Amino acid sequence: MGCWAKLKLSDWAYPTAVLSLYGFFANCRVAEPFLTPYLIGPNKNISGEVVTNYLFPIWTYSYLAFLFPVFLLTDFLKYKPIIIVQGLFLVTNYVLLCFAPGLPAMTFLQVNYAVVTSTEVAYFSYIYSVIPVENFQRATGYLRSAMMAGYTFGASLGQVLVSLAGVDYFYINAITLGIVSVAFLISFWLPMPQRSMFFKGKKDGAGPGKEKMEHNGSPGCCSRKNVATAGHLLWQSFRESYSSRHLVYWSLWWALATAGYMQVFNYIQLMWDHIEPSATSSIYNGGVEAACSLVGAAAAFSVGHVKVTWAVWGELALGLFSAVGAGAVFLMAFTSSIWVCYSGYVTFKSCYMLLITITTFQIASNLSMECYALTFGINTFVAVSLQTIITVIVVDETALGLDIVTQFIIYGSYYAAISVLFLIRGTYTACVNHSPGQTRTKEQESSVEVISAERF
């Protein structure tokens, strides 16, 4: 009991441990790699065309609609309530999958899951409001490791249950329901943050740092003056986040690449089912996703041990690895071998995880946490907006409603365009930084940008 009390009193260990536990169980979704076979199989009996061109686009549209309001609510409500909401909707998600029959229920399921994904910003932002700044790096590492471990364990367990034990997909979803219910219960153990990043409560004159309610009957954080202050801080954070040209380019890649990645991730199970139908073949979706997590984690881990001047070579790396990702997507589109398609997906996802790690580090290392949280939200919003445009044109049955192979050809072309853009930009940056007389100037400009970003 003494050890537990000491852990709970720690200024950072207790919230980090609880949130890591939550992240593990919330991402240990045993059934997720088998969602498409479950929907188009005898359990739900929905056609692949309906899943592709009707159901999955609803998630994209709902995600975009929820993302910005949830971002503001997350800060306004101080994070913990939003994490609890995410846990609740995760439970609802698998209750619907297990027990709700029919297309209308699965349509609502997509809206429900959009709430889950839009509230992820709370998971990544909560910890910075309850722990000292000197522990940010360690806590972030633990949280990301917990998420990765949960996802890998869940995907591996699902593959073992399906391939070796022959467990029906219904029971796989029921097991997942039990696991995410544990995550929901854990969310209540999180300590409530006493501050938010943008909505600052009015200080009580009796003591510093204490927030009080306005005497006009409304909370201080809801007052017109406080809302105006929050708006000013948001605008100031926005200007600081995108005042550096270097950070703008990294954010541009983040938004562009994430939009394409989410499309591939959302529809890859349909591609696998097209090449080798799950109704008549053994499938290894869980094993492939587990392999992606391990390879991607190794690639991301290696970033911290590679000595590269990212300010010089980073944009070129974005272009090169995006080109590899584009080739992998084209390979998935044109192959008739499920194992080649699996390999292409592992390559694509590993490249993305490597690059998004570099991008996140480059952005976060030059910004305050207020600016980083806003940058994360804006970049994600732009990515989902681009994804929505792609979905409306390419996937939605009211527009082109293309088949899955043609979709992947378009996604490969999209990634190829990103790679060309950043190969050109990266080559220019590398040449300029290594030309005589320019190296010192560029170093001075880079130094000024970092100082400007840290000022806030």
Side-chain angles (χ1 to χ4, degrees), residues 411-429:
Y411 303 153
S413 303
Y414 175 83
Y415 249 85
I418 295 174
S419 68
V420 170
L421 176 65
F422 279 88
L423 281 172
I424 294 172
R425 171 66 195 175
T427 303
Y428 170 79
T429 300

Side-chain angles (χ1 to χ4, degrees), residues 183-199:
F184 175 56
L185 294 176
I186 290 174
S187 67
F188 288 95
W189 297 352
L190 290 167
M192 187 68 183
Q194 298 304 307
R195 62 187 176 90
S196 61
M197 291 184 182
F198 300 109
F199 291 93

Side-chain angles (χ1 to χ4, degrees), residues 67 113 124 128 137 281 292 297-298 332 363 379:
L67 191 57
Y113 188 64
F124 291 108
Y128 304 125
Q137 185 173 353
S281 309
C292 284
M332 288 185 273
I363 292 175
N379 290 352

